Amino acid sequence: MNASGWIQFLLFLGALLAITKPLGIYLVKVLDANGKTFLDRILKPVERLCYRLFGMDPLKEQDWKQYAIAMLVFSLVTMLFTYGLLRLQDYLPFHQHIDNLSNKTELTPALSFNTAASFTTNTNWQNYYGENTMSYFSQMVALASHNFWSAAVGIAIAAAFVRAIARDKARTIGNFWTDLVRIHLYLLIPICIVYALFLVSQGIIQNFSPYTQVTAIDQSGATSPGQPVTQIIPQGPVASQIAIKMLGTNGGGYFNANAAFPYENPTPLSNFIQMLSIFAIPSALTYYLGRVVRNQKHGWAVWAAMAIIFIAGVMVSWKSESAGNPRLSELGVAAAPGSMEGKEVRFGVFNSALFATVTTDASCGAVNAMPDSFTPLGGMIPLLNIQLGEIIFGGVGAGLYGMLVFIIVAIFLAGLMVGRTPEYLGKKIEAYDMKTASLAILILTFSILCFTAWSSVSAGSATATTATWGSAALNNNGPHGFSEMLYAYSSCTGNNGSAFAGLTGNPLASSATPFDPHWNLTLGLATLLGRFIMIIPILALAGSLASKKLIPVSAGSFPVANVTFVVLLVGTILIVAALTFFPALSLGPIVEHFLMRGSGPLF
Amino acid sequence: MSTMLKDNPETVRELASPAQGKVVAKRRSLFDPEITLPAIWESLKKLNPVHMVRNPVMFVTEVGAVVTTVEIFFAKVHGEPLGFVLQIALWLWFTVLFANFAEAMAEGRGKAQADALRKSRTKTSARKLRLAGPLAGRVLPEDEQLVPAESLRKGDLFVCEANDIVPADGEIIEGAATVNESAITGESAPVIREAGGDRSAVTGGTTVLSDRIVVKVTANPGESFMDRMIGLIEGAKRQKTPNEIALNILLSALTIIFLVVILTLKPYVLYTVSYLTESNGFPADAQAKLLAASSVTVLVALLVCLIPTTIGGLLSAIGIAGIDRMVQHNVLAMSGKAVEAAGDVDVLLLDKTGTITLGNRQATEFFAAPGVNERELAEAAQLSSLADETPEGRSIVVLAKERYGIRGREILELPHAEFVPFTAQTRMSGVNLDGRQIRKGAADSVRKFVGGPFDTEIDQVVERISRSGGTPLVVASNTQALGVIHLKDIVKGGLPDRFKRFRAMGIKTVMITGDNPLTAAAIAKEAGVDDFLAQATPEMKLDLLRKEQANGHLVAMTGDGTNDAPALAQADVGVAMNTGTQAAKEAGNMVDLDSNPTKLIEVVEIGKQLLMTRGALTTFSIANDVAKYFAIIPAMLVATFPQIAPLNIMKLQSPYSAILSAVIFNAIIIILLIPLALRGVKFRPMGAAAILRRNLIIYGIGGVVIPFVGIKLIDVAINLLHLA
């Protein structure tokens, strides 16, 4: 932990704080069907055209069921669209560069399902290598499109939820289609245009050129003098996809190495801005919350709770990565101070630890280093961040609505202590609300723990001689292998999409092992469960809250804008969410950590 | 409105702290053997799974107890010490029993009160009248028929005379009587009940002391007020309140989550076992050790420790105790829901008379006119009030006596005196004595009487008193105005301070009064209420209530008259006075047996205390989990991975003693918290932010820290006793 790291960290926090209010105010305008923005002059006609095209009345609001159905229909149609495009990639334009590769990956039904589900749910878990699987057309139309759509859906749900809290005895929570149109037109697309141009200025490519074959600099592997070692450098429309990948907390890389690849993240500045853009909208949404519920301090209190857990995570991860592996140091073979395995020298320990924390606090999942190579505790933080439900700023929209569920649970647990039945911002929290909130939390735990349990036992028991689908995919044995499985299901259920990277989720068929779709299917299913089975109870909760009477706030109301509230919220998240995963984590990173420090066996 | 209270000063008592008030319930020590012993038996009976399944948390615990009991027989097979499995099973059973005991204790306290009530209700017979319907003339003795009280049905008529026990709830349709209602109120002072008006209801079980009344039965046997009261106290008809239902849902969800956590732990362990091979550098017995350390017994122990057994076990006891506390204050809540609503109330509609002020205005000062001796004025005022039996009149006599030592003469001492009673026409009262015509009354009436304008000083005093909210009475002798008596509403002691604390808690107080706005404003200011409704009619009160509710407020009020019934029914908490009409009692969701409207304030405090207790124990229960994880997880793994020892931050002696300590702590904490659950956490009138901070420190942070200490101590004890 060095001064340069501290300075960068303070800079990052300062920048985040600075953009929260202006972007938050802008969100208030965007997420109001009647809101006026400075882009109206250019975009209002386009917005009207969209409504006319869809034949809809932008001001006709929906109740929660209609809103949910609209969201589900939209997601289903777009998911089928992407599945179809992927299956038909060979018949669509711009696939020659892939076809020329010797290691081209086939888009099987299982992989296509996994990818379509993953992108529809804002997960962007990738069971494929972008550069040898996806055509330019697939990248742009089948995948990047979802980066916009799924981000907009998340923001829309959050906006609907916040509106529900603010309304008094209301039946409706907004119009899904209007939200969708406005989020695209006024928020995502304009920012991404500017952002992509900035990224190009930093050196990210944006072209349709064929892949380039070059002579490698490192010729040590050359077999004969006449045949130099060559390397294929992939090309493509990268910048436009990276902008929304970060801003929309999608995280699906254009290339397999994601933000560690120079074409995706060329400079320290691009690295800084990319991290900042992950948190930008989620952070601004807390301001939006405060503004809409007319309690700006509450918005900041929520921001503070998120920031506290974020800072704590960065500290643990950074400290652990800086300390590195003592066993390597003892042997005198550590390449650099701290753990540098799997990290880009361009970014170093601090920026890798920070990036990993940011990307998992949010549901982004982009990585600029390989978490699989992190120290056990350094890698546990990303894992834990995801398991908390990605509510530390979180995914665009998803972070806020996930956090709101935790706020409601926290207030319900402790709220009675003020001598009133629990209420949040003037809304009584009753049996139905608890049912829906519990369901949202249950599904997260259920999907992560049960899928991991299935894969663990299929990893083979002590007596089994043949490995089954679970362990076949593992890169490491021992507790680290367990972490890889736990991480995969956490990441997919949490709609994060980052991988511990050791796991082979799309095992290639060979003569010895037939193609096994288990990982593709279970991970795909986990993304769908973690997204939609969570959103439906959350919308039901929103509908219930909207319909309630607003009780005027008084000195007897539960305080939601002071230090006590922040402490309560952080405590509840740590006790209710984090401790649930303590037994599982103790068999993964925790045991691994102690084995490493205590001269135990290594894996 | 509380017209009755104005007329009937006996029912208005000083603001009494609960300790002073006479209560139905005998105050019992917390672990009174009369209650404790049957509760132990009850808690065994409650092990019946049919009963347990209503409480999912404790049901899971019971299933865990059964499973570990079965495991006792397989301890040898699984390579576990028999003593360990035995003790875990035993303590799991204790956990369930302790929770049952808490519930049985709370119920037992209610039952004891109910039994006391039942005993007071000896078998009575009723003097039923043969005729029904409207009475036609005098009832003759031969129309009466002696029947058992149970045979009376709604609509029947019966007669009660002195020393008769009223056989059933009813409404007096003829006559008036003094009634001793101590059986239900604990108050021995007799009250007057009479046909018509707001005091016509009589309650079964009370005793008629004088006179004769004819009563029409209003409740069938088993549905009477007394029956309902017994039922409520016993908790026989107790239904879960809305907040309890919601909390149960969350506790069940947490239980399910922890079930999943434990059930999936086994596969994770199996995966872990698969790499504990010698080729990976582990000892040969590593696999067997981990399998033994993650036995069914250990997993069940971990599960029970993690699910919220503390609040799950105490939840119903807290609810019953809340209703019980109301009963101890002589308030009958018709449901637990009403008690909960009392905590949520944020607007109190308080009738001025009887609630904020003492029932009547009292003379506080004499202002003599220029040239008149104050003593002379006091004497005249007293003479004019000798025959005035109104409380105001009596207060004038008393003031004259206190201030000037003028002995109140008996009317009989003044045989020539001709007393002039108050009439609506003259609006004066007084006396004609020895040629003097002494009168007291409203300023304009007296002005007419003296036949000319007053001295300007008198006019000024009258004006000043009126503006301050008091009532000026001018005293005149023949044509001379002697001075002014200041009649004043006396605000009950301690109220302004209390209202201030309510304000801090976010509760608005509104005074309802029939006075004019000027008077009302002055009293409101003196009492420290937030708002007032002057010249109020029952309709206006109902309108105000509806308006507050429409703005999202929860409103509490008291009432006794039939015309209060709609508002009582509409209010979120409607406390009917026991002296009130049947209609009022039916409409409210609480009845105050003492008929002391000021008690509304205590009702709100008890409601808040109930909710705080529930919240505090919930928070405590959840916060406890941290320590239990740190006791059990290292214990499970340390035999296999000795390197994990630093995670055993409590330095517990051995894996077995660690797990056992956590389980024992989990069980005895329930017993230790029973007093808190029954008594309730200490109520402090503070703003929500301050209360939350305070309770969060005690029950949240305390809930994290205490089990660390507790488990460590138990671990030390276990090892001293060589139990593991």
Side-chain angles (χ1 to χ4, degrees):
Chain A
M1 298 174 91
N2 50 24
S4 129
W6 283 110
I7 292 168
Q8 289 181 68
F9 190 42
L10 289 179
L11 217 60
F12 180 76
L13 282 176
L16 182 63
L17 196 57
I19 57 171
T20 299
K21 184 176 172 181
L23 189 55
I25 292 174
Y26 186 65
L27 277 174
V28 174
K29 293 172 183 160
V30 171
L31 295 173
D32 174 0
N34 296 313
K36 299 203 176 353
T37 73
F38 68 97
L39 291 171
D40 274 5
R41 211 176 327 157
I42 315 161
L43 292 177
K44 204 72 196 174
V46 187
E47 189 188 350
R48 280 201 207 98
L49 186 69
C50 287
Y51 297 143
R52 208 171 310 139
L53 226 55
F54 302 134
M56 55 170 282
D57 173 3
L59 296 178
K60 190 165 176 282
E61 294 216 333
Q62 299 165 317
D63 63 23
W64 79 265
K65 282 182 195 152
Q66 293 164 327
Y67 202 96
I69 290 169
M71 182 274 300
L72 286 174
V73 167
F74 176 76
S75 301
L76 180 69
V77 169
T78 52
M79 180 171 155
L80 290 175
F81 167 80
T82 294
Y83 179 83
L85 288 192
L86 294 180
R87 299 285 294 130
L88 296 172
Q89 173 168 290
D90 289 352
Y91 305 96
L92 295 165
F94 301 124
H95 57 86
Q96 292 77 7
H97 57 287
I98 297 279
D99 292 340
N100 294 339
L101 297 172
S102 56
N103 61 345
K104 174 190 174 186
T105 305
E106 211 57 51
L107 277 161
T108 58
L111 178 59
S112 303
F113 160 76
N114 181 286
T115 306
S118 165
F119 276 75
T120 306
T121 56
N122 197 264
T123 310
N124 297 27
W125 173 275
Q126 292 164 297
N127 264 347
Y128 61 89
Y129 293 5
E131 56 269 44
N132 69 1
T133 313
M134 295 297 171
S135 68
Y136 294 160
F137 186 83
S138 296
Q139 293 271 25
M140 286 192 300
V141 182
L143 303 183
S145 56
H146 268 296
N147 286 357
F148 283 94
W149 295 335
S150 65
V153 168
I155 299 171
I157 305 286
F161 200 139
V162 173
R163 274 183 215 129
I165 297 168
R167 288 181 178 182
D168 184 22
K169 284 182 280 183
R171 203 182 57 82
T172 59
I173 56 174
N175 182 315
F176 176 75
W177 306 109
T178 311
D179 286 340
L180 209 59
V181 168
R182 288 186 62 87
I183 292 165
H184 275 104
L185 279 183
Y186 293 100
L187 185 71
L188 300 179
I189 293 174
I191 296 181
C192 281
I193 289 173
V194 179
Y195 189 13
L197 287 173
F198 162 78
L199 291 174
V200 169
S201 81
Q202 294 299 301
I204 294 188
I205 54 170
Q206 178 79 8
N207 62 37
F208 291 94
S209 316
Y211 285 7
T212 321
Q213 186 162 12
V214 296
T215 306
I217 297 169
D218 178 8
Q219 288 294 338
S220 57
T223 44
S224 59
Q227 287 188 315
V229 178
T230 60
Q231 178 185 3
I232 291 174
I233 298 180
Q235 302 290 324
V238 182
S240 56
Q241 191 167 337
I242 300 313
I244 187 63
K245 157 195 158 192
M246 294 301 181
L247 186 72
T249 65
N250 295 281
Y254 192 97
F255 305 108
N256 181 51
N258 211 304
F261 197 101
Y263 275 169
E264 277 202 45
N265 189 6
T267 65
L269 183 62
S270 75
N271 189 56
F272 185 85
I273 297 294
Q274 286 191 10
M275 288 191 292
L276 193 63
S277 62
I278 294 174
F279 271 1
I281 293 177
S283 176
L285 276 170
T286 63
Y287 191 89
Y288 169 77
L289 167 72
R291 182 57 78 92
V292 173
V293 302
R294 288 173 294 278
N295 185 345
Q296 200 61 63
K297 276 191 183 159
H298 174 58
W300 285 117
V302 173
W303 191 92
M306 291 172 166
I308 288 170
I309 310 181
F310 163 61
I311 292 169
V314 172
M315 290 302 131
V316 174
S317 188
W318 184 19
K319 189 167 174 2
S320 181
E321 291 308 296
S322 303
N325 185 338
R327 306 278 282 277
L328 284 178
S329 312
E330 270 168 36
L331 293 171
V333 295
S339 164
M340 276 304 291
E341 186 198 304
K343 293 190 178 62
E344 274 282 287
V345 263
R346 296 181 297 140
F347 303 127
V349 168
F350 170 73
N351 271 307
S352 302
L354 179 63
F355 200 110
T357 311
V358 167
T359 197
T360 49
D361 277 342
S363 82
C364 183
V367 287
N368 73 353
M370 299 301 122
D372 199 30
S373 301
F374 275 30
T375 55
L377 291 190
M380 183 180 79
I381 291 301
L383 180 52
L384 188 61
N385 283 338
I386 298 171
Q387 290 171 338
L388 292 183
E390 286 158 353
I391 47 169
I392 311 157
F393 298 105
V396 283
L400 184 65
Y401 64 67
M403 189 55 141
L404 285 169
V405 170
F406 270 107
I407 290 173
I408 285 169
V409 169
I411 290 179
F412 187 82
L413 283 174
L416 285 168
M417 284 198 296
V418 304
R420 277 207 204 175
T421 55
E423 70 192 48
Y424 172 51
L425 293 168
K427 299 280 190 178
K428 284 270 174 238
I429 308 172
E430 293 159 310
Y432 182 82
D433 313 303
M434 263 311 77
K435 241 181 249 173
T436 46
S438 301
L439 209 58
I441 294 180
L442 258 174
I443 192 64
L444 189 77
T445 320
F446 207 77
S447 171
I448 294 175
L449 292 180
C450 292
F451 276 127
T452 308
W454 186 15
S455 70
S456 307
V457 278
S458 77
S461 67
T463 51
T465 47
T466 51
T468 40
W469 62 271
S471 65
L474 298 182
N475 194 27
N476 301 70
N477 195 355
H480 200 80
F482 179 71
S483 299
E484 286 171 2
M485 292 185 283
L486 185 59
Y487 197 103
Y489 287 112
S490 299
S491 175
C492 282
T493 305
N495 296 149
N496 185 277
S498 69
F500 226 35
L503 189 90
T504 311
N506 185 40
L508 297 177
S510 70
S511 53
T513 51
F515 176 75
D516 189 313
H518 272 98
W519 282 105
N520 272 320
L521 297 185
T522 54
L523 290 172
L525 203 57
T527 63
L528 294 174
L529 287 175
R531 176 83 165 183
F532 298 112
I533 306 299
M534 183 145 173
I535 284 182
I536 292 168
I538 281 174
L539 280 176
L541 175 58
S544 156
L545 290 176
S547 68
K548 285 175 207 264
K549 204 158 58 172
L550 259 182
I551 298 164
V553 174
S554 72
S557 310
F558 190 90
V560 290
N562 60 9
V563 177
T564 318
F565 171 73
V566 174
V567 172
L568 169 72
L569 184 55
V570 171
T572 306
I573 291 166
L574 292 183
I575 291 178
V576 173
L579 284 184
T580 307
F581 294 97
F582 188 54
L585 290 173
S586 64
L587 285 171
I590 295 178
V591 153
E592 192 191 353
H593 170 78
F594 285 107
L595 287 179
M596 175 185 88
R597 313 224 31 126
S599 321
L602 294 176
F603 295 91
Chain B
M1 309 299 294
S2 345
T3 50
M4 166 224 75
L5 289 165
K6 284 178 193 136
D7 309 339
N8 193 3
E10 286 86 357
T11 55
V12 181
R13 258 170 269 129
E14 272 292 344
L15 184 63
S17 78
Q20 290 163 335
K22 287 181 190 152
V23 289
V24 177
K26 178 177 145 201
R27 278 191 181 274
R28 293 169 182 278
S29 70
L30 213 50
F31 290 99
D32 187 332
E34 262 180 63
I35 295 171
T36 315
L37 297 177
I40 293 173
W41 174 236
E42 240 351 88
S43 46
L44 284 167
K45 280 205 285 188
K46 283 174 189 277
L47 288 177
N48 182 353
V50 179
H51 172 84
M52 293 298 295
V53 82
R54 289 194 312 189
N55 182 343
V57 181
M58 295 321 292
F59 181 69
V60 169
T61 312
E62 189 176 33
V63 171
V66 171
V67 170
T68 46
T69 308
V70 173
E71 279 295 303
I72 296 173
F73 303 100
F74 296 95
K76 210 168 188 180
V77 186
H78 295 159
E80 285 183 296
L82 181 66
F84 170 71
V85 184
L86 198 70
Q87 289 184 73
I88 293 283
L90 206 62
W91 280 105
L92 293 187
W93 282 113
F94 275 140
T95 312
V96 183
L97 285 173
F98 289 169
N100 289 349
F101 179 68
E103 194 181 74
M105 281 288 289
E107 286 170 353
R109 284 156 69 86
K111 274 205 189 88
Q113 289 174 1
D115 285 345
L117 279 177
R118 235 187 239 119
K119 266 180 213 151
S120 75
R121 217 167 44 146
T122 44
K123 283 237 174 233
T124 48
S125 41
R127 294 161 63 180
K128 187 181 166 191
L129 290 179
R130 268 184 247 275
L131 38 123
L135 285 186
R138 174 115 179 83
V139 178
L140 301 169
E142 54 266 34
D143 294 330
E144 285 179 20
Q145 178 190 10
L146 215 58
V147 297
E150 304 90 71
S151 70
L152 289 176
R153 291 291 179 275
K154 230 186 236 185
D156 286 351
L157 298 180
F158 62 84
V159 176
C160 275
E161 281 179 311
N163 297 327
D164 282 348
I165 292 175
V166 178
D169 287 7
E171 196 158 350
I172 302 174
I173 53 171
E174 194 184 279
T178 48
V179 179
N180 178 352
E181 295 194 332
S182 60
I184 44 169
T185 62
E187 176 61 64
S188 55
V191 291
I192 294 167
R193 298 298 189 190
E194 61 191 358
D198 287 348
R199 286 181 290 162
S200 61
V202 287
T203 311
T206 57
T207 314
V208 175
L209 296 176
S210 70
D211 304 286
R212 176 194 155 96
I213 44 173
V214 178
V215 182
K216 186 177 179 183
V217 177
T218 52
N220 288 328
E223 295 165 13
S224 74
F225 186 67
M226 196 82 141
D227 289 314
R228 267 191 298 163
M229 183 158 142
I230 292 173
L232 280 165
I233 297 173
E234 274 187 329
K237 286 197 196 135
R238 207 180 93 82
Q239 286 176 324
K240 282 187 182 143
T241 66
N243 177 260
E244 276 179 313
I245 293 170
L247 185 54
N248 250 317
I249 289 170
L250 183 64
L251 295 180
S252 306
L254 287 174
T255 307
I256 295 170
I257 287 179
F258 288 122
L259 259 174
V260 173
V261 168
I262 300 301
L263 287 176
T264 53
L265 194 53
K266 196 69 190 178
Y268 303 166
V269 165
L270 290 178
Y271 167 85
T272 305
V273 164
S274 74
Y275 68 74
L276 295 175
T277 55
E278 286 182 86
S279 59
N280 276 335
F282 289 94
D285 60 351
Q287 294 190 333
K289 270 186 180 163
L290 185 58
L291 284 173
S294 58
S295 67
V296 172
T297 311
V298 174
L299 291 182
V300 170
L302 181 57
L303 173 65
V304 172
C305 284
L306 295 184
I307 60 176
T309 47
T310 312
I311 182 63
L314 294 172
L315 187 56
S316 68
I318 296 167
I320 298 170
I323 296 184
D324 194 52
R325 269 198 296 283
M326 285 282 185
V327 173
Q328 283 175 15
H329 282 75
N330 268 1
V331 176
L332 284 188
M334 294 304 167
S335 65
K337 193 178 164 183
V339 184
E340 222 169 78
D344 277 346
V345 158
D346 56 357
V347 173
L348 299 185
L349 300 188
L350 302 164
D351 286 329
K352 184 199 82 179
T353 311
T355 309
I356 292 174
T357 62
L358 296 176
N360 313 288
R361 294 169 169 228
Q362 295 191 348
T364 55
E365 254 170 308
F366 295 117
F367 294 97
V372 178
N373 186 336
E374 263 193 43
R375 193 182 161 83
E376 197 184 323
L377 166 65
E379 196 162 4
Q382 195 192 48
L383 279 172
S384 72
S385 306
L386 283 181
D388 186 352
E389 278 303 316
T390 63
E392 289 85 356
R394 267 178 281 160
S395 78
I396 294 171
V397 175
V398 170
L399 186 71
K401 188 174 159 191
E402 281 176 356
R403 284 280 167 85
Y404 304 101
I406 305 167
R407 187 178 61 89
R409 278 159 291 186
E410 288 300 319
I411 297 170
L412 293 177
E413 292 174 36
L414 304 163
H416 329 291
E418 182 199 336
F419 292 100
V420 182
F422 179 88
T423 67
Q425 282 80 41
T426 61
R427 295 173 64 215
M428 289 184 301
S429 64
V431 64
N432 296 334
L433 181 71
D434 307 332
R436 283 173 77 196
Q437 291 194 321
I438 305 174
R439 295 288 184 276
K440 70 167 200 291
D444 42 351
S445 318
V446 177
R447 199 178 287 124
K448 249 181 245 161
F449 174 76
V450 298
F454 294 145
D455 194 297
T456 47
E457 202 162 315
I458 290 187
D459 280 332
Q460 278 168 6
V461 171
V462 165
E463 169 86 24
R464 187 166 51 79
I465 293 173
S466 299
R467 199 172 299 143
S468 76
T471 307
L473 287 183
V474 180
V475 182
S477 175
N478 297 336
T479 55
Q480 188 195 9
L482 298 174
V484 188
I485 307 170
H486 186 177
L487 286 183
K488 198 176 165 188
D489 269 312
I490 306 295
V491 173
K492 288 186 175 183
L495 276 187
D497 187 44
R498 220 153 172 190
F499 291 147
K500 204 169 125 197
R501 289 188 288 162
F502 268 120
R503 203 165 305 122
M505 289 160 64
I507 297 174
K508 186 169 105 176
T509 45
V510 182
M511 184 181 82
I512 312 287
T513 172
D515 293 340
N516 65 59
L518 206 66
T519 311
I523 298 168
K525 195 175 160 215
E526 190 180 343
V529 292
D530 297 306
D531 204 352
F532 64 88
L533 180 69
Q535 284 162 347
T537 60
E539 293 71 36
M540 285 167 71
K541 191 172 175 181
L542 185 59
D543 283 346
L544 174 68
L545 197 152
R546 289 218 171 100
K547 200 183 89 202
E548 294 287 1
Q549 286 180 329
N551 288 336
H553 293 288
L554 276 90
V555 185
M557 62 168 280
T558 59
D560 50 25
T562 299
N563 54 10
D564 280 336
L568 280 172
Q570 174 79 25
D572 299 284
V573 173
V575 183
M577 299 295 107
N578 190 44
T579 49
T581 57
Q582 200 62 33
K585 287 201 249 180
E586 295 287 340
N589 48 13
M590 290 190 195
V591 175
D592 178 18
L593 300 177
D594 292 340
S595 303
N596 172 8
T598 314
K599 216 189 275 166
L600 187 56
I601 296 169
E602 264 116 28
V603 165
V604 170
E605 292 183 351
I606 293 170
K608 287 203 173 293
Q609 194 190 23
L610 165 80
L611 295 176
M612 280 181 201
T613 309
R614 194 183 289 156
L617 291 180
T618 306
T619 308
F620 186 84
S621 186
I622 307 278
N624 273 197
D625 275 6
V626 181
K628 294 172 190 167
Y629 273 114
F630 278 95
I632 297 184
I633 297 287
M636 271 179 68
L637 300 180
V638 78
T640 319
F641 305 104
Q643 296 86 349
I644 211 168
L647 205 58
N648 177 12
I649 50 180
M650 281 175 274
K651 303 263 174 289
L652 304 177
Q653 301 272 341
S654 71
Y656 288 130
S657 78
I659 294 165
L660 197 52
S661 304
V663 172
I664 292 175
F665 176 85
N666 196 48
I668 61 175
I669 195 71
I670 295 179
I671 283 283
L672 293 178
L673 289 174
I674 288 177
L676 185 67
L678 296 187
R679 230 186 265 133
V681 304
K682 197 163 162 46
F683 173 81
R684 276 159 215 278
M686 298 191 279
I691 296 179
L692 181 67
R693 183 164 53 238
R694 195 191 141 77
N695 285 340
L696 208 55
I697 290 171
I698 300 177
Y699 300 101
I701 299 180
V704 173
V705 175
I706 289 169
F708 276 102
V709 179
I711 291 172
K712 175 71 192 173
L713 290 177
I714 295 171
D715 180 70
V716 170
I718 284 176
N719 285 288
L720 281 175
L721 300 169
H722 301 290
L723 290 175

